């Protein structure tokens, strides 16, 4: 993508974050704009970095590993946000700073065991299948407290919060309802685990609703880099 266009999109997104935060009486600095760079070439990430972005989200493991390798000269923070197969946990544990999509104990245990000793703990969000969610990924809300307790005990993981991908809808009331449900699950868990500080929710089509319901990480792809082909 053209560097000028990208700079324009990023400035625009940061302004939207600022306005929505203000509307909800929140501090815009508490909201991270995570650049979802899946399917995008290395050069787009370099351009986004020039615009001041450091944190990038990827969903496809092999593609992500190639980019992480190619971009080692930059000081980037990598977030894995895609589905996790249990035979792929080792490269995730070794190459990423964050994982947003942990939804079962077996995956969490493997990530903890495989996190290299020289690195800080892997920062983890649990993906929750809130009622509106179409996909099968994500822990059911009924099983969330138990999974959270278990993950919180793992020595090489730091449990930070929750993530969800609600069904896409243009209806902002429906968007708010889904995000409010995730926020309530989050606040419930915070009673047991007061260190939780992260709500990863909101994408290009629903970021304002997510901010209004307390999102601390927005995962933004197409509104930044343009439409995806895949
Ligand atoms: C692709 C993806 C996004 C970004 O979606 P956009 O609608 O392009 O902003 C966010 N979160 C996850 C988990 C994704 O896979």
């Amino acid at each position: 993508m053209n560097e000028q266009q990208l700079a324009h999109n990023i400035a625009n997104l940061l302004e939207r974050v600022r306005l929505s935060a203000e509307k909800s009486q929140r501090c815009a600095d508490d909201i991270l704009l995570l650049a979802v760079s899946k399917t995008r070439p290395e050069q787009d990430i370099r351009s986004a970095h020039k615009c001041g972005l450091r944190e990038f989200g990827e969903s496809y493991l092999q593609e992500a590993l190639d980019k992480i390798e190619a971009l080692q000269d930059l000081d980037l923070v990598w977030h894995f946000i895609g589905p996790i197969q249990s035979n792929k946990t080792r490269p995730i544990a070794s190459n990423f700073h964050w994982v947003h999509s942990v939804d079962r104990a077996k995956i969490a245990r493997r990530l903890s065991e495989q996190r290299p000793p020289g690195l800080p703990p892997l920062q983890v969000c649990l993906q929750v299948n809130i009622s509106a969610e179409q996909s099968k990924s994500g822990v059911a809300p009924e099983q969330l407290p138990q999974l959270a307790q278990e993950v919180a005990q793992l020595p090489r993981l730091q449990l930070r919060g929750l993530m969800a991908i609600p069904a896409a809808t243009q209806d902002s009331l429906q968007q708010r309802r889904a995000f409010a449900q995730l926020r309530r699950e989050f606040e419930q868990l915070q009673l047991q685990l007061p260190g939780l500080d992260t709500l990863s929710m909101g994408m290009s089509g629903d970021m304002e609703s997510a901010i209004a319901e307390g999102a601390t990480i927005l995962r933004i792809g197409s509104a930044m880099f343009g439409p995806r082909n895949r």
Side-chain angles (χ1 to χ4, degrees):
M1 148 172 260
N2 166 320
E3 208 168 300
Q4 223 172 344
Q5 180 65 49
L6 181 61
H8 173 82
N9 291 351
I10 291 172
N12 199 38
L13 282 162
L14 290 171
E15 180 63 6
R16 281 168 69 186
V17 171
R18 197 185 65 73
L19 286 173
S20 303
E22 194 172 321
K23 231 168 137 182
S24 305
Q25 294 172 299
R26 299 188 53 199
C27 178
D29 294 344
D30 295 340
I31 303 167
L32 169 70
L33 188 60
L34 177 64
V36 175
S37 48
K38 67 186 184 200
T39 78
R40 315 295 178 174
E42 177 195 328
Q43 191 51 50
D44 282 4
I45 299 177
R46 291 193 180 275
S47 304
H49 178 261
K50 275 196 202 157
C51 296
L53 299 190
R54 274 188 71 219
E55 310 218 13
F56 293 86
E58 292 278 341
S59 302
Y60 307 111
L61 183 59
Q62 191 51 54
E63 180 197 329
L65 294 174
D66 292 344
K67 287 186 217 170
I68 292 171
E69 167 87 27
L71 291 160
Q72 276 186 44
D73 56 309
L74 303 183
D75 182 26
L76 304 181
V77 178
W78 291 100
H79 297 240
F80 191 77
I81 62 175
I84 307 171
Q85 292 168 266
S86 63
N87 63 343
K88 299 286 169 58
T89 49
R90 189 177 297 280
I92 295 175
S94 323
N95 288 282
F96 286 82
H97 303 84
W98 282 75
V99 179
H100 294 223
S101 44
V102 172
D103 63 358
R104 51 198 197 278
K106 178 185 174 186
I107 297 291
R109 285 194 295 265
R110 290 176 65 94
L111 289 170
S112 182
E113 281 159 16
Q114 295 169 345
R115 180 69 170 170
L119 296 180
L122 187 61
Q123 307 298 300
V124 165
C125 291
L126 302 179
Q127 185 175 351
V128 184
N129 192 343
I130 50 178
S131 55
E133 193 167 337
Q134 301 154 314
S135 82
K136 297 214 175 56
S137 38
V139 60
E142 305 79 60
Q143 280 148 26
L144 176 60
Q146 197 191 333
L147 178 62
Q149 287 299 342
E150 188 163 347
V151 172
Q153 309 296 322
L154 293 170
R156 302 292 293 133
L157 303 187
Q158 183 173 359
L159 180 59
R160 297 292 296 272
L162 302 180
M163 182 274 245
I165 313 171
T169 169
Q170 310 253 58
D171 179 347
S172 61
L173 283 179
Q174 242 172 289
Q175 295 172 354
R176 288 281 296 257
R177 212 173 295 140
F179 292 139
Q181 194 191 338
L182 191 69
R183 178 170 50 75
R184 283 193 298 272
E185 300 289 349
F186 178 69
E187 288 168 350
Q188 200 59 39
L189 276 184
Q190 278 182 319
L191 302 175
Q192 259 71 58
L193 300 166
L196 301 189
D197 60 4
T198 301
L199 261 177
S200 167
M201 61 186 195
M203 307 180 11
S204 295
D206 53 18
M207 55 181 272
E208 275 82 7
S209 299
I211 291 170
E213 295 297 341
T216 66
I217 300 183
L218 306 170
R219 307 180 312 270
I220 305 296
S222 45
M224 189 177 300
F225 297 109
R228 271 183 304 277
N229 298 321
R230 162 138 64 112

